[in-house]
Amino acid sequence: MGCRIAMGVNMDVFRYAEREGLLFPDPQGSYIVAVDGDICLVDGPKREVQFAVLGTEEPYLKKLTAFSSLSGMLVDVTCAMAVPDSKARTRRLARLFGQTFEDYVFNILSANFIVEKGREIRPSLAKFTGERDFVRPDFVIEGIAVEAKVGSYERAQLDAYASSFRAGVLTTPFSSRCDVPRGWVCVCNLVYNPPKLVESIRLLKERTRGDRGDRYTSLRGIP
């Protein structure tokens, strides 16, 4: 089922029963599923089985299926679905989607630019203030920040990045609400038009080249 063997001390073990090729949580089931973070092992009578959808995880499964089909990225949801709780599955699928989309964006960017990934723009004060602190944009390309999001996001996060980067891009795999700081642009529906991200960054690079005045002077007129 595409899982790796889990050997950690924090392993959780669950039992499932198989019905018509689908696994359902069952304390008396003949399938044993071991989960340790993003690593899991499924052991049972059959090899070709999958976890039954329990509830709230279904929308994310549909999004991941569509994303994988359109982007060509391989997505294995087995370990995200291995826990017998729908809300926990939803959180794990959301994280998997986010990680996979970041990889997809990185592949596009790295084929065209020199990319810095996860660069800290300033020391985090979160442990002193007790508040969330945004100090690492997903990617930086020659002074332009790029943030990849698959769902909702906090405008405060983009504003924090905009205080250090006069230009930036927010990109999403599908259509999405777009609310970005002045000087930033949105690239939504990326899976339908990957070159648009590259074109947007090149435009921003042209507009910011040689800027020596107001942070936003050279960005006026960018949609």
Side-chain angles (χ1 to χ4, degrees):
M1 295 183 63
C3 292
R4 296 168 287 176
I5 296 177
M7 299 298 291
V9 295
N10 296 319
M11 181 190 306
D12 293 313
V13 178
F14 311 102
R15 282 189 175 272
Y16 284 81
E18 182 264 326
R19 303 172 201 162
E20 298 181 354
L22 297 176
L23 295 183
F24 293 84
D26 186 336
Q28 305 301 320
S30 56
Y31 286 80
I32 298 176
V33 178
V35 181
D36 185 0
D38 293 326
I39 303 173
C40 70
L41 169 67
V42 180
D43 184 37
K46 294 182 181 179
R47 299 188 55 155
E48 298 300 324
V49 291
Q50 61 183 13
F51 292 99
V53 175
L54 301 178
T56 59
E57 72 270 33
E58 186 170 14
Y60 267 103
L61 286 171
K62 290 181 178 179
K63 288 180 181 179
L64 277 165
T65 299
F67 172 73
S68 179
S69 176
L70 291 165
S71 68
M73 298 287 289
L74 297 178
V75 183
D76 185 355
V77 302
T78 304
C79 290
M81 294 284 286
V83 294
D85 177 81
S86 183
K87 290 183 178 180
R89 287 180 176 184
T90 300
R91 291 192 297 269
R92 292 163 67 88
L93 287 168
R95 186 172 69 248
L96 174 63
F97 192 7
Q99 291 170 344
T100 306
F101 183 57
E102 281 190 26
D103 290 342
Y104 175 67
V105 172
F106 178 75
N107 291 343
I108 295 172
L109 297 177
S110 61
N112 294 275
F113 308 104
I114 296 175
V115 183
E116 295 179 80
K117 189 173 183 180
R119 188 182 87 187
E120 187 175 88
I121 57 179
R122 62 181 178 279
S124 175
L125 300 176
K127 64 180 180 180
F128 301 110
T129 64
E131 298 178 354
R132 194 172 182 187
D133 196 15
F134 303 108
V135 297
R136 294 179 186 273
D138 291 330
F139 311 105
V140 177
I141 299 168
E142 298 180 31
I144 297 171
V146 179
E147 191 69 11
K149 295 292 185 184
V150 298
S152 61
Y153 60 91
E154 297 182 45
R155 172 59 190 264
Q157 181 178 13
L158 301 185
D159 288 338
Y161 297 153
S163 67
S164 298
F165 297 95
R166 64 172 60 90
V169 179
L170 170 68
T171 184
T172 63
F174 303 115
S175 61
S176 174
R177 170 183 68 88
C178 185
D179 179 24
V180 296
R182 187 181 179 192
W184 285 51
V185 297
C186 292
V187 178
C188 301
N189 284 314
L190 183 63
V191 291
Y192 296 103
N193 187 10
K196 186 178 179 181
L197 177 60
V198 175
E199 293 166 3
S200 296
I201 293 173
R202 285 177 175 160
L203 176 60
L204 287 172
K205 287 173 62 179
E206 287 295 322
R207 296 291 179 89
T208 57
R209 185 170 297 162
D211 181 22
R212 293 294 183 272
D214 179 344
R215 303 174 9 87
Y216 298 116
T217 297
S218 63
L219 297 172
R220 290 171 186 156
I222 293 181

